[in-house]
Amino acid sequence: MWLTTMSHLDPTTLKQVSYYARGLHAPLPTLEIIIYIITMTTAVIFICMAVLLASLENYEKLNPRDFYPGWSLLNTKKDISENEWNLWNKWFEKITPFLLGHILIGKLVEFKCFSMRKYFFAFYSLLCLTYLLGWKPLALLVLQCGFCYLASMTGSKVLIWIISISFLSMLNFDISVVFLQTTLFPWTPELDLHYYFLMIIMSLCNIRYTSFCLEYCDSVKWKKKHVHEDGENRRNGFDFCDLLCYTIYLPLCFSGPLINYDEFHQQISKPQQIWSKQRLKNHVTDFLRIGGWALCFHIILHYFYYNSLSYNLAIVESLSQWTLVGIGYCQGQFFMVKYLIIWGIASSIAKLDQFEPPKGPKCISYVYLYSEMWR
């Protein structure tokens, strides 16, 4: 009856009904979309020009420590007042050779002995982290993994959460922070950089080994209920090497994005993909896209000093409302593109290893629900 009624509707109405049936809104008229695009583009150009002019006019009043000699080709100084981005730049310079080694050696292992990939991922990541952070921080991380792994054999998720939250709390109390700094690291000029990224790595690894151990608890409970059945397939993927491979997998270790262990295990267990022109094109496009955003980002910081401007209250109070809107817009875009680059590099390398990481952040210019900002 419903199909008979629908068949009498004209194509346009039928399309709208189809959208509503899928929980979507009907598409807007083309003219209305064009008007929105022109209005939005004009407004963005106007407020960005206001920020550019404010940067040029107030450069002499800004903190000199916020700037660094830029590229000689651009003949201007670069805004380095955003501390997190500067730390990531320094860290990326350190880890680039190891990421290149991961790609080259990983592809060789993939072609020669595909089934050994997880052992390569675990062993290579251990070596790299030992060199980058030292053996003491790595020993602490492996010890936490081992302790949580033993607890997961009991099948108690409550115990896993208690241990996981306890380890995470170590990173948030002054006493434990001072202990970690003085015990794990000898004093070096780059102590802050190493400690900052150790905290990031330990926080992300905490989430990962928690995810692994919770899945392991489900596996233990399943084994107890099916004690007379062949549970070998259910138990596969839960040895300590699997835990290390998942927890410290190098491309995703420093920044994410995060993959739940059930998805990680499913993806690493897939058969070897055949290389084709389309697959190669997709990987090249990914790297070029992220590289293009990084290049664009560095160039913008040579001319738009919105970060440094925002730290000078006297200058901010003298700016027009359009300029203030522009600074807010630029900072939001900076935030989004920063993580687009950080996560994009890691995700592009993980895709080479046949993983499917979550997509990067949405452009905040069209996010209308703030709950989607961190998805």
Side-chain angles (χ1 to χ4, degrees), residues 156-169:
S156 172
K157 291 187 177 182
V158 174
L159 180 59
I160 296 300
W161 280 115
I162 292 174
I163 294 173
S164 176
I165 294 174
S166 298
F167 285 152
L168 190 61
S169 300

Side-chain angles (χ1 to χ4, degrees), residues 283-321:
H283 289 308
V284 171
T285 302
D286 270 345
F287 282 105
L288 289 178
R289 181 174 63 89
I290 299 303
W293 276 114
L295 177 63
C296 179
F297 204 40
H298 281 290
I299 293 175
I300 287 175
L301 290 177
H302 283 75
Y303 297 100
F304 290 80
Y305 302 150
Y306 44 86
N307 283 317
S308 185
L309 284 169
S310 65
Y311 293 139
N312 194 312
L313 184 59
I315 294 178
V316 168
E317 290 176 343
S318 67
L319 298 176
S320 67
Q321 289 188 353

Side-chain angles (χ1 to χ4, degrees), residues 3 16 21 27 30 53 99 114 151 153 158 174 344:
L3 291 174
Q16 291 179 346
T30 303
L53 292 175
L99 294 177
F114 186 79
M153 292 180 178
V158 174
D174 291 338

Side-chain angles (χ1 to χ4, degrees), residues 109-169:
V109 172
E110 179 181 321
F111 290 135
K112 296 295 183 180
C113 190
F114 186 79
S115 61
M116 299 294 291
R117 288 194 314 150
K118 75 172 183 179
Y119 301 104
F120 162 73
F121 292 154
F123 182 70
Y124 184 80
S125 299
L126 280 172
L127 289 179
C128 294
L129 290 176
T130 301
Y131 180 84
L132 289 167
L133 299 175
W135 70 268
K136 290 181 180 179
L138 189 64
L140 175 62
L141 182 57
V142 173
L143 185 64
Q144 289 183 353
C145 290
F147 195 75
C148 210
Y149 182 76
L150 292 174
S152 63
M153 292 180 178
T154 64
S156 172
K157 291 187 177 182
V158 174
L159 180 59
I160 296 300
W161 280 115
I162 292 174
I163 294 173
S164 176
I165 294 174
S166 298
F167 285 152
L168 190 61
S169 300

